[in-house]
Amino acid sequence: MSTVQAGKAAPAFTLPGLDGKSLSLAEALKKGPVVAAFFKVSCPVCQFTFPFLQRIYETYGDGKMTLWGISQDDASDTKEFCGEFGIKFPALIDGEGYPASNQYALTNVPSIFLIAADGKVTVTSIGFDKAVLEQIAAEAARASGKPAAPLFRPGEVVPDFKPG
C-alpha cells in the first residue's frame, strides 16, 4: 500500500514520455485533475485494467483532465504494451531506479492516483477496483463537462476487485 493516500499532497515528478519529451505533474495540474496509473507490462492485472482506463480517456480526454500511464519498464516494452492493449493516452517512463514509483512508495501495480488540480490526491487504488474506476470516470466527466457515461458495458463480466 502506498503511503500517498487521499487528502495528502501528490509528490511532484517529471518523466519522459515515449516521444522523449518530459512531462511534469505540476504543468498537467494547471489544466485540471490528473490520473497517474503506475504499471508494469508483465502485470496481468495491469493488462486487465488499462483497457478500462483507455475507455475513460476516449470518453473524457479533451484536455481538461490528464491521464497518464507510468511504466516501470523501458520505452520499447511500454510502446509494445500500449499497442497490444490499445492504449492511446500518454505513457511515461519511470526510468532507472523508479524515481516516481519510489516517491509514491508503491508496493504493487497497478497503483492509480486521482490528483485534483490543487495537487491533493483524492482517490487511490491498488490493483483493479471496479468502484474506484467508476469514481475516476465520474470525476473525469465532471472535469470535462461531459455527461457521465457507463464505464462498463452491459453483459460485460467485470469483477469488483483484482489484487495487484
Side-chain angles (χ1 to χ4, degrees):
M1 175 73 68
S2 169
T3 57
V4 179
Q5 296 298 310
K8 292 189 176 185
F13 60 84
T14 299
L15 296 171
L18 288 178
D19 61 3
K21 293 180 184 172
S22 290
L23 298 169
S24 77
L25 179 61
E27 282 299 311
L29 289 171
K30 290 177 183 177
K31 295 187 294 185
V34 172
V35 176
F38 292 81
F39 72 103
K40 284 195 79 55
V41 300
S42 61
C43 165
V45 179
C46 299
Q47 296 166 4
F48 181 79
T49 303
F50 268 58
F52 295 113
L53 291 172
Q54 178 60 33
R55 285 186 192 172
I56 293 170
Y57 180 73
E58 287 172 1
T59 305
Y60 306 110
D62 67 351
K64 295 179 184 170
M65 182 180 146
T66 301
L67 197 158
W68 285 335
I70 301 172
S71 177
Q72 295 179 337
D73 294 285
D74 67 26
S76 175
D77 289 344
T78 300
K79 187 174 183 178
E80 187 176 320
F81 173 92
C82 291
E84 182 176 347
F85 294 96
I87 306 308
K88 305 283 190 248
F89 54 85
L92 311 182
I93 305 301
D94 194 13
E96 186 79 27
Y98 307 126
S101 295
N102 288 330
Q103 283 182 284
Y104 282 74
L106 300 187
T107 58
N108 299 70
V109 288
S111 288
I112 304 169
F113 300 87
L114 175 58
I115 306 162
D118 67 2
K120 290 205 174 147
V121 174
T122 57
V123 176
T124 64
S125 176
I126 310 300
F128 173 86
D129 188 318
K130 186 177 183 180
V132 168
L133 286 181
E134 288 174 322
Q135 188 178 359
I136 290 169
E139 179 56 35
R142 190 169 28 263
S144 71
K146 295 179 181 178
L151 177 58
F152 303 103
R153 297 178 179 142
E156 192 170 50
V157 178
V158 180
D160 289 335
F161 182 77
K162 281 180 170 251

